[in-house]
Amino acid sequence: MPVIRKSLLELIFSGAYLLRWNDKLRPVELLEIDKQAHKMLLACVLWHEYSRGADTARRVALATEIVEGGLFDYFYRAIITDIKPPIYYRIKENPRQFRELTEHVLQRLAPSLAPLGPFWKRMRAWHLNPDEESPARRILTAAHLYASQWEFRLIEPCNAPFDDEMGDIGQSFPDRLDGFADLPGLAAMRTPRTALARLANLCGQLRFQIRWTQAPRIPSTSVLGHMFIVACLAYFFSLTVKACPARADNNFFCGLFHDLPEVLTRDIISPVKQSVASLPPLIKEYEEAELERRLFAPLRDEGFTGLVDHIAYFLGLEVGSEFQECVRRQGRVLALDDFNALQREGNTDDQDPKDGRLLKDCDNLAAFLEAHSSIRNGVSSPHLLEARVRLLTRLRESPLACLNLDALLADFD
């Protein structure tokens, strides 16, 4: 069984420290964890469109390969972050040099990832015996290029007047993306003012929303980065509880999408939300109305009704919360009582299950990592210290003993 340790949590969180485009003038800090979140949100959209009409087994298998491939690439990237892309691609052209680099990266990652057992074996195979033309790799590469181009367009106006690299870099993105023109949904995503382009832009904008605005932190994680951390945690904990593949994939995607409405409402901290009894339902009502007006209605108008249904499922709109266990049966979304009911009655791919309490614990654990990391880095405040204690208490009181959170959190004391 996979074992989750402190070193894995720190590896997942490490992307919050890794700067992107750090040899260029940047209007905002661009972080690896934000880029990975944006990439995987786009990959989810491309997966959905690619697998339209496919049977359950094929859809789930492709989703799993995309989720795990994205994680494999993220962890690899965490080690080679200082290598500029042109140099990396030159190394990749030499099979011997590239294998030596890959072996070095895997050796560095082994202490954190080897305890995950089968996941670690699949990661080694992904990097040592790559199939560059597999649908999962092509979807991930297209999503990577789109998200990188989105970042480039942020920094281009600041650098173009004096940086002679900008023209070549800018042209490299459309040139390479043209090689993936056959992927369903990508053309619409690349076309300005379409519904898919709007979705991609709104997802990217979540990197501008910094969490815990009333408590300065190092690093200052964004809503987008937080979503990726929750997604990673949700996937790995899904493996530890022997979730079926569809459930593990759904938990990852739910983690990725769970704070998407905050691009419409901003990140409102829990003490403010809870200060007035009528505030949470008012916020939720506004979020759902804005989601419908700005995202869902345009997507439906352009023929992406199935994608809307999936995003709504990840957000828990039919059952009242993204943190509610649920399944699909005979085309209907049904809420289940709790984690145990999901384990007992719903843990099969054909029911498209999704966790609730497990995801809430991952959300709290991600917030704890954000608070703990800043305090450890020497940037603290009464609000941050109180939040750390509150989150520790909530996590230790979790009814999901199977997650072994007590033992995991003991390493952070």
Side-chain angles (χ1 to χ4, degrees):
M1 179 183 296
V3 177
I4 296 178
R5 296 176 178 168
K6 179 183 179 182
S7 60
L8 174 63
L9 303 191
E10 291 176 333
L11 178 61
I12 292 170
F13 193 78
S14 66
Y17 296 95
L18 302 180
L19 294 175
R20 292 178 53 77
W21 304 97
N22 63 346
D23 59 340
K24 305 298 181 187
L25 179 60
R26 304 177 300 282
V28 295
E29 291 295 9
L30 299 173
L31 301 172
E32 187 65 33
I33 202 165
D34 297 338
K35 151 67 190 307
Q36 294 295 330
H38 197 189
K39 166 187 168 180
M40 294 309 292
L41 283 161
L42 301 174
C44 177
V45 173
L46 294 175
W47 158 73
H48 183 274
E49 294 308 299
Y50 187 92
S51 58
R52 275 195 193 193
D55 59 36
T56 297
R58 290 174 59 199
R59 283 177 60 85
V60 171
L62 180 58
T64 299
E65 192 175 356
I66 288 171
V67 169
E68 293 201 339
L71 293 171
F72 299 154
D73 289 344
Y74 170 58
F75 294 141
Y76 192 101
R77 176 67 183 168
I79 302 300
I80 66 161
T81 183
D82 291 331
I83 302 178
K84 288 187 67 169
I87 299 174
Y88 173 74
Y89 293 128
R90 287 287 297 275
I91 295 172
K92 200 170 183 180
E93 290 171 0
N94 185 310
R96 181 183 61 80
Q97 291 179 347
F98 186 60
R99 189 172 184 89
E100 288 177 358
L101 175 64
T102 298
E103 290 284 9
H104 166 74
V105 170
L106 293 173
Q107 186 178 9
R108 291 271 305 276
L109 291 170
S112 299
L113 298 179
L116 296 174
F119 178 89
W120 172 239
K121 293 179 181 177
R122 293 192 293 272
M123 178 168 176
R124 288 185 58 84
W126 175 269
H127 287 300
L128 293 173
N129 301 294
D131 177 6
E132 300 292 351
E133 293 303 312
S134 71
R137 278 189 188 270
R138 296 189 74 237
I139 286 170
L140 287 167
T141 302
H144 155 73
L145 290 169
Y146 190 104
S148 294
Q149 182 182 49
W150 198 92
E151 290 180 325
F152 175 78
R153 287 172 174 166
L154 289 179
I155 69 170
E156 185 179 20
C158 301
N159 292 272
F162 58 84
D163 191 329
D164 60 7
E165 285 189 323
M166 301 307 284
D168 289 341
I169 295 172
Q171 188 57 45
S172 71
F173 291 118
D175 287 349
R176 295 183 65 195
L177 278 167
D178 286 346
F180 300 92
D182 59 305
L183 290 179
L186 184 60
M189 199 181 288
R190 296 177 69 189
T191 304
R193 292 183 293 279
T194 63
L196 279 188
R198 174 180 291 184
L199 172 61
N201 280 324
L202 285 174
C203 290
Q205 288 173 44
L206 282 166
R207 76 180 65 230
F208 304 145
Q209 294 192 28
I210 303 300
R211 285 168 49 81
W212 308 69
T213 53
Q214 297 181 13
R217 294 171 299 117
I218 294 178
S220 296
T221 44
S222 70
V223 172
L224 188 59
H226 169 79
M227 289 156 60
F228 183 72
I229 296 170
V230 175
C232 292
L233 295 174
Y235 189 76
F236 288 122
F237 278 114
S238 297
L239 297 184
T240 67
V241 300
K242 299 182 179 179
C244 67
R247 179 178 165 196
D249 298 336
N250 284 341
N251 288 346
F252 181 86
F253 290 138
C254 179
L256 267 184
F257 278 95
H258 82 282
D259 279 338
L260 178 64
E262 291 187 7
V263 76
L264 311 173
T265 63
R266 296 186 184 176
D267 178 35
I268 304 172
I269 62 174
S270 295
V272 174
K273 285 182 181 178
Q274 297 165 4
S275 60
V276 180
S278 60
L279 196 54
L282 177 64
I283 293 170
K284 188 169 184 62
E285 180 182 347
Y286 177 77
E287 286 178 346
E288 292 184 9
E290 286 297 280
L291 277 171
E292 178 62 32
R293 181 179 71 86
R294 296 179 61 184
L295 275 183
F296 290 170
L299 284 168
R300 289 194 196 94
D301 290 345
E302 295 183 15
F304 297 103
T305 301
L307 179 61
V308 170
D309 291 343
H310 258 83
I311 295 174
Y313 186 61
F314 297 144
L315 294 175
L317 298 185
E318 299 96 331
V319 293
S321 171
E322 67 271 39
F323 301 127
Q324 172 64 54
E325 290 81 6
C326 56
V327 295
R328 295 181 195 264
R329 290 175 183 162
Q330 299 178 335
R332 295 178 56 212
V333 177
L334 301 176
L336 299 184
D337 289 340
D338 55 22
F339 174 86
N340 291 328
L342 186 65
Q343 284 280 80
R344 186 175 59 251
E345 305 166 15
N347 194 27
T348 57
D349 288 346
D350 62 297
Q351 297 186 79
D352 201 26
K354 184 178 74 67
D355 273 273
R357 178 65 205 215
L358 182 147
L359 283 155
K360 184 60 179 176
D361 284 345
C362 291
D363 191 37
N364 286 333
L365 183 55
F368 167 77
L369 289 173
E370 293 170 276
H372 173 82
S373 297
S374 185
I375 294 168
R376 184 190 61 187
N377 289 331
V379 178
S380 185
S381 67
H383 175 71
L384 210 55
L385 291 167
E386 184 275 331
R388 184 183 185 278
V389 172
R390 183 179 71 250
L391 290 162
L392 270 176
T393 300
R394 288 180 182 174
L395 289 165
R396 285 173 170 153
E397 291 176 350
S398 169
L400 305 188
C402 56
L403 301 186
N404 296 312
L405 292 174
D406 249 344
L408 182 61
L409 292 167
D411 289 338
F412 288 89
D413 288 339

